[in-house]
Amino acid sequence: MGIAATTAGVPELAGDLVLRDLEVKGAEGTLKARLYQAGPSAVKRDTLVVFFHGGGFTGGSIDEADDFLGRLVSADPTQVALSPAYTLATERPFPAAVEDAHAVLVWAKKNKAKLAWSGKRLVVSGIEAGANLAAVVSLMARDRGGPALTGQVLIMPMLDPGLSTCSMREVPVCPDKAALVDKVAGTCAAGYRGYLPNAADRTHPYASPLQSSRLKNLPPALILSAEDDPLRDEAEQYGAKLIKCGITTTVRRLPAPPLEQPGGRNDCACYFALNEIAAFVRDADGTETPSDK
């Protein structure tokens, strides 16, 4: 079944959907960002979702998630979404992107009025490399004493710079799928080479949260993997580690994303799991878990 045949039940874009471009503060300067909101513009939303785009750390832009985030806030107008840019590895490698990610959260907390946000709930999310940043910024917010997060949504995340999981290394019997998996693996490897030129950084928990031994006291997580996606196993392994550490975590495997299409992972999440994501974000309350400090 293709994406076009799965639109039943997917929230339509609200007629009063507003997309607004603005600038936010990164670690070393201003960054472009886009705000998504539906419903009365004067009403403050209780939940802000900060979403980091994909692109393998070396590409991508805030434009890629327009449809996904537009439908997310249309599904629940009590949420407002912010998609910030971050420093790509082609400009500066690790840790520039994750420092930007944390700086954006700090900025958002200080500029609630500009975001039509009450400041009550803050959720981080991302897809692929952006999901790595969402997972990492959850660690950073814990380690640095804030901002407090109420949830994290990781969509087919890149979490293993070693590219060592079975789903990344196994070769499907079907020649077309084998070629696609090889292409994705090569793209991930190239992205990590650009993002982590220093090999020693590849085991740093802020680069590879899957390697972290300190995963307690993190916000609840919704982790989406996908059938036939080379990133599948690292997503599910991370979910298992969070569960073992007592973090309230839901791991769901989606149908195979159309990886041969630009934005295939965005489309997969949008059409197969958007209602679940919207419900998780709405219900996220940041239930605390025992600290490992």
Side-chain angles (χ1 to χ4, degrees):
M1 180 181 291
I3 287 292
T6 65
T7 57
V10 176
E12 302 220 351
L13 294 172
D16 54 4
L17 175 68
V18 174
L19 279 62
R20 180 161 58 93
D21 288 340
L22 65 159
E23 289 187 338
V24 299
K25 186 176 180 180
E28 295 190 15
T30 58
L31 301 167
K32 292 181 179 180
R34 185 165 295 154
L35 188 71
Y36 304 75
Q37 62 186 93
S41 59
V43 177
K44 289 185 178 180
R45 279 68 173 171
D46 282 341
T47 303
L48 172 67
V49 180
V50 178
F51 180 90
F52 302 103
H53 67 76
F57 300 107
T58 58
S61 74
I62 61 175
D63 298 328
E64 295 173 3
D66 279 353
D67 189 51
F68 171 73
L69 292 177
R71 292 180 190 274
L72 179 67
V73 299
S74 296
D76 183 358
T78 67
Q79 303 171 14
V80 61
L82 178 69
S83 178
Y86 52 85
T87 301
L88 299 178
T90 49
E91 183 178 348
R92 289 198 307 279
F94 173 83
V98 295
E99 292 294 347
D100 277 342
H102 186 259
V104 167
L105 297 187
V106 173
W107 178 92
K109 200 70 176 178
K110 293 179 179 178
N111 292 270
K112 298 186 288 292
K114 293 182 180 180
L115 304 175
W117 175 44
S118 70
K120 186 175 180 181
R121 291 190 291 267
L122 177 58
V123 176
V124 290
S125 181
I127 193 161
E128 189 224 45
N132 174 294
L133 299 183
V136 168
V137 83
S138 298
L139 298 174
M140 296 174 78
R142 177 201 62 190
D143 296 345
R144 298 180 178 183
L149 302 178
T150 55
Q152 51 180 318
V153 180
L154 312 182
I155 305 170
M156 298 164 237
M158 290 176 64
L159 301 171
D160 176 28
L163 308 177
S164 60
T165 63
C166 290
S167 62
M168 184 64 71
R169 299 171 69 89
E170 68 188 6
V171 179
V173 175
C174 173
D176 289 341
K177 283 190 176 181
L180 188 57
V181 168
D182 185 62
K183 179 181 177 181
V184 172
T187 300
C188 289
Y192 279 126
R193 283 197 297 272
Y195 184 54
L196 302 168
N198 183 351
D201 288 335
R202 297 195 171 198
T203 57
H204 194 295
Y206 287 177
S208 176
L210 189 61
Q211 302 294 326
S212 177
S213 60
R214 296 180 60 249
L215 295 176
K216 292 183 180 180
N217 204 29
L218 294 174
L222 172 63
I223 301 178
L224 304 177
S225 68
E227 197 70 47
D228 292 344
D229 188 352
L231 297 173
R232 181 195 67 213
D233 285 358
E234 54 204 84
E236 296 179 356
Q237 287 175 15
Y238 192 59
K241 291 189 72 171
L242 290 180
I243 291 170
K244 187 175 181 180
C245 289
I247 308 303
T248 301
T249 303
T250 299
V251 181
R252 182 180 172 196
R253 185 182 295 186
L254 303 177
L259 293 178
E260 70 280 2
Q261 300 175 12
R265 290 190 175 88
N266 282 294
D267 290 342
C268 184
C270 184
Y271 290 109
F272 290 116
L274 195 142
N275 282 317
E276 183 174 356
I277 294 170
F280 172 86
V281 172
R282 181 186 64 243
D283 297 337
D285 62 4
T287 301
E288 291 188 358
T289 54
S291 174
D292 58 344
K293 294 184 180 181

